[in-house]
């Protein structure tokens, strides 16, 4: 799937290219860093944290701020039919749902990169309305992806709940040695990012988005389930905690259509399976 004009279908919806910044472009450019609020607006609102493309997810609102999140999943079989854009990811957001950190597996063309192949990249949608992504790396069906969101420098001891910020790092890697990362050297806004309290254990996002019961064909989804497992969560002090995941699937414009995708959560909360 290709987007029209100057827009990119990010893992948080349709965004103007002037707001999209790649790690490669940042490293090669000597231009001043983009200032907030000087670009055409996104066509989505970050507070609507489940943009139209989210088809299935497992989420949790934590009582403690996240220090590190690590999730593993196997790259599924490719879709039998081309033409769709698929995102599979875990991640974390702040309490206001205005920023998100995501290690992402992608199938399809989002308008910035991709094609009929699997790629991993790390994404950050900042509170300034800018989107950053790390260098996309090719991966293959059967590879084990580890997605990590981690604090590398914690909040100041005297901060208040409203002004606490952390320095974050996002990593997507595989058991075959592929790796891509987004940190403050590529995205300075990661050094002034919020505490993360809303967690995404697993999510499926798919485009094109159409009317109920007429969205992408079943054959355009991955041809095998995606199992998110070995979910490890720690708070800012390094103590582990469990998430009581809540599952959600998209009903489209009409609940009579039913859910095309299902979310299964193991009783011990350590494994989430997305079925298409």
């Amino acid at each position: 799937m290709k987007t029209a004009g100057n827009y990119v279908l990010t893992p948080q919806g349709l965004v103007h290219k002037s707001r999209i910044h790649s790690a490669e472009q940042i490293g090669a450019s000597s231009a001043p860093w983009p200032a907030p609020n000087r670009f055409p607006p996104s066509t989505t609102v970050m507070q609507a944290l489940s943009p139209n493309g989210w088809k299935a997810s497992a989420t949790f609102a934590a009582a403690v701020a996240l220090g590190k999140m690590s999730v593993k999943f196997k790259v599924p079989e490719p879709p039998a039919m081309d033409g769709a854009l698929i995102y599979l990811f875990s991640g974390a957001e702040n309490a206001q749902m205005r920023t998100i950190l995501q290690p992402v597996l992608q199938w399809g063309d989002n308008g910035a990169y991709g094609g009929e192949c699997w790629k991993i990249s790390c994404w950050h949608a900042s509170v300034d309305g800018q989107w950053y992504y790390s260098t996309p790396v090719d991966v293959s069906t059967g590879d084990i992806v580890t997605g990590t969101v981690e604090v590398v420098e914690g909040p100041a001891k005297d901060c208040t709940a409203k002004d606490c910020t952390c320095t974050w790092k996002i990593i997507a890697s595989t058991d075959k040695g592929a790796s891509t990362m987004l940190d403050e050297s590529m995205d300075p806004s990661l050094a002034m990012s919020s505490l993360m309290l809303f967690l995404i254990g697993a999510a499926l996002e798919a485009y094109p988005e159409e009317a109920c019961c007429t969205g992408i064909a079943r054959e355009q989804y991955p041809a095998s389930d995606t199992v998110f497992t070995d979910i490890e969560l720690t708070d800012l002090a390094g103590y582990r905690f469990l998430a009581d995941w809540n599952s959600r699937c998209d009903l489209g414009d009409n609940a009579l259509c039913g859910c095309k995708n299902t979310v299964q959560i193991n009783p011990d909360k350590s494994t989430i399976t997305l079925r298409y």
Side-chain angles (χ1 to χ4, degrees):
M1 176 186 174
K2 292 187 177 181
T3 57
N6 293 316
Y7 288 86
V8 174
L9 262 172
T10 76
Q12 275 298 312
L14 197 64
V15 178
H16 195 273
K17 286 184 176 179
S18 61
R19 290 178 174 265
I20 304 290
H21 314 288
S22 73
E24 292 176 335
Q25 292 170 338
I26 294 165
S29 175
S30 59
W33 196 255
N37 303 320
R38 291 180 54 193
F39 301 94
S42 164
T43 60
T44 59
V45 178
M46 276 297 297
Q47 286 87 335
L49 210 220
S50 196
N52 290 338
W54 283 42
K55 300 300 182 186
S57 61
T59 60
F60 176 65
V64 295
L66 181 69
K68 182 179 180 179
M69 178 180 191
S70 177
V71 181
K72 293 183 179 181
F73 62 97
K74 183 183 292 187
V75 179
E77 295 288 337
M81 181 189 301
D82 295 341
L85 174 61
I86 302 292
Y87 288 121
L88 292 160
F89 57 88
S90 56
E93 301 179 63
N94 69 353
Q96 296 76 32
M97 297 183 182
R98 294 185 59 234
T99 181
I100 186 168
L101 314 176
Q102 301 165 277
V104 179
L105 174 68
Q106 173 182 326
W107 176 275
D109 186 345
N110 63 14
Y113 65 86
E116 305 305 322
C117 58
W118 290 113
K119 290 182 180 288
I120 52 173
S121 185
C122 299
W123 282 83
H124 173 214
S126 76
V127 294
D128 291 335
Q130 307 297 320
W131 275 252
Y132 307 87
Y133 66 89
S134 65
T135 302
V137 176
D138 291 332
V139 295
S140 301
T141 296
D143 292 354
I144 305 297
V145 176
T146 300
T148 304
V149 172
E150 182 178 5
V151 170
V152 294
E153 185 175 342
K157 292 182 179 180
D158 58 349
C159 71
T160 66
K162 292 183 178 180
D163 66 9
C164 283
T165 60
C166 299
T167 300
W168 291 88
K169 176 171 63 176
I170 314 167
I171 304 171
S173 61
T174 75
D175 59 336
K176 302 295 176 58
S179 183
T180 182
M181 179 178 69
L182 198 60
D183 64 13
E184 63 176 313
S185 69
M186 310 164 196
D187 171 5
S189 64
L190 282 173
M192 293 291 290
S193 200
S194 308
L195 299 180
M196 300 293 159
L197 291 164
F198 188 83
L199 310 181
I200 304 110
L204 161 70
E205 187 172 351
Y207 299 97
E209 180 67 16
E210 299 178 14
C212 179
C213 302
T214 62
I216 69 174
R218 177 66 58 188
E219 294 78 13
Q220 291 178 298
Y221 283 102
S224 59
D225 300 343
T226 309
V227 181
F228 293 72
T229 189
D230 295 340
I231 301 173
E232 295 185 3
L233 305 169
T234 59
D235 63 16
L236 290 170
Y239 294 106
R240 295 186 65 173
F241 66 94
L242 294 176
D244 187 12
W245 302 111
N246 296 302
S247 63
R248 176 190 176 277
C249 67
D250 176 51
L251 291 173
D253 298 326
N254 184 340
L256 294 176
C257 297
C259 291
K260 295 183 179 181
N261 311 285
T262 60
V263 183
Q264 178 181 319
I265 302 171
N266 278 25
D268 65 2
K269 311 298 183 180
S270 67
T271 301
I272 303 166
T273 301
L274 301 183
R275 292 197 167 96
Y276 319 113

